């Protein structure tokens, strides 16, 4: 795995910004859904990945020997964990894509993606 850097993560956010700009240009709905589908995959989409990342950050901060053991730090770690739960709750957005696909006559599973969604 290549080393992670702030620049590599900025590239990811720039790609998301490009996608947002593209979607604002009113593309064909089926094409838009196909582009967004990987982001909202039930198992590997952004909500799940961001939740995992926030939990891992909370654990890394809490478990580091140089982290002060104060109530304030405990609250900050708790806020990361709460945010992780809130993000994880968004994993059901893939169902919204299924419903939108049905509105546009594109059968679920015909686009690239998990294909496991009802």
């Amino acid at each position: 795995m290549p080393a992670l850097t702030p620049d590599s993560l900025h590239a990811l956010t720039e790609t998301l910004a490009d996608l947002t700009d593209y979607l604002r240009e009113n593309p064909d709905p089926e094409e838009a859904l196909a582009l967004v589908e990987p982001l909202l995959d039930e198992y590997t989409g952004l909500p799940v990945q961001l939740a995992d990342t926030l939990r891992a950050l909370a654990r890394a901060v809490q478990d580091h020997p140089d982290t002060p053991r104060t109530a304030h730090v405990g609250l900050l770690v708790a806020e990361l964990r709460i945010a992780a739960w809130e993000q994880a709750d968004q994993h059901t957005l893939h169902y919204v894509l299924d419903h939108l696909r049905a509105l546009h006559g594109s059968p679920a599973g015909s686009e690239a993606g998990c294909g496991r969604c009802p």
Side-chain angles (χ1 to χ4, degrees):
M1 181 170 106
L4 294 175
T5 66
D7 286 340
S8 65
L9 296 175
H10 283 293
L12 290 172
T13 60
E14 288 174 17
T15 300
L16 285 174
D18 291 344
L19 174 61
T20 300
D21 290 342
Y22 174 74
L23 294 173
R24 288 181 178 143
E25 295 172 3
N26 298 318
D28 176 73
E30 287 186 31
E31 185 177 336
L33 290 168
L35 289 171
V36 172
E37 184 174 14
L39 299 177
L40 298 179
D41 182 83
E42 177 179 14
Y43 302 105
T44 61
L46 284 177
V48 173
Q49 295 294 326
L50 184 55
D52 287 347
T53 299
L54 292 171
R55 279 191 289 274
L57 176 59
R59 186 172 32 262
V61 168
Q62 184 176 23
D63 293 349
H64 195 276
D66 293 338
T67 298
R69 307 293 181 225
T70 64
H72 181 67
V73 170
L75 288 173
L76 294 173
V77 168
E79 286 199 36
L80 287 172
R81 290 190 173 128
I82 290 167
W85 278 108
E86 290 171 353
Q87 287 301 310
D89 284 346
Q90 299 303 312
H91 80 280
T92 59
L93 285 171
H94 71 280
Y95 292 122
V96 172
L97 292 183
D98 292 341
H99 294 292
L100 288 170
R101 227 184 272 103
L103 288 173
H104 289 281
S106 176
S110 69
E111 302 291 335
C114 71
R116 296 181 288 253
C117 305

